Amino acid sequence: MATHSISMQGIGAQCLTAKKGAAATAGYPCQFSANDTVADAANNGSFSGVVAGVRGDLVTVQYRGFVTLPYSGTAPSVGYGILAADGAGGVKGAQSGESYLIVNVDTTAKTVCVLL
C-alpha cells in the first residue's frame, strides 16, 4: 500500500532581502527592527515573516506563502487563528495580534503549517 503525504511548504512563497539585525536566525519568525533590517521576533511579538536564509550581513525573508514552524504551548487549531512568536524560533497561540490561516497541525512533531 502506497503512503502519500501532502505538503504545502513553500507554495506561494515570496521573499525579500533585508539587512541582518542583532539576531536573525534561519527558520525563525522575524520582525522588522529598523529600516530595511530584520531580527528574530521576540516572545509574544508579532512576526512579519520567516528568515529563509542568512548570508553575511543579509537575510532572505519569506513574507508570503505557506511555511511550517514549530509551536510551543497548546496546539493551535486548523482554520484561522491568532499566532505570536514564542521567542525560541517558533510560534504560539495568542489572545490578540495577527490572524493566520492554519492548514496543518502536527501534534507529534509540534509543528504548524501557516499561510503568511
Side-chain angles (χ1 to χ4, degrees), residues 18-79:
K19 296 175 189 173
K20 181 181 175 189
T25 310
Y28 276 38
C30 63
Q31 182 62 279
F32 279 86
S33 58
N35 289 339
D36 307 320
T37 305
V38 296
D40 294 340
N43 186 32
N44 294 318
S46 62
F47 56 100
S48 304
V50 175
V51 176
V54 179
R55 187 170 193 177
D57 292 336
L58 299 176
V59 296
T60 301
V61 176
Q62 180 180 341
Y63 66 93
R64 293 272 191 265
F66 288 95
V67 64
T68 300
L69 294 164
Y71 72 83
S72 58
T74 303
S77 298
V78 170

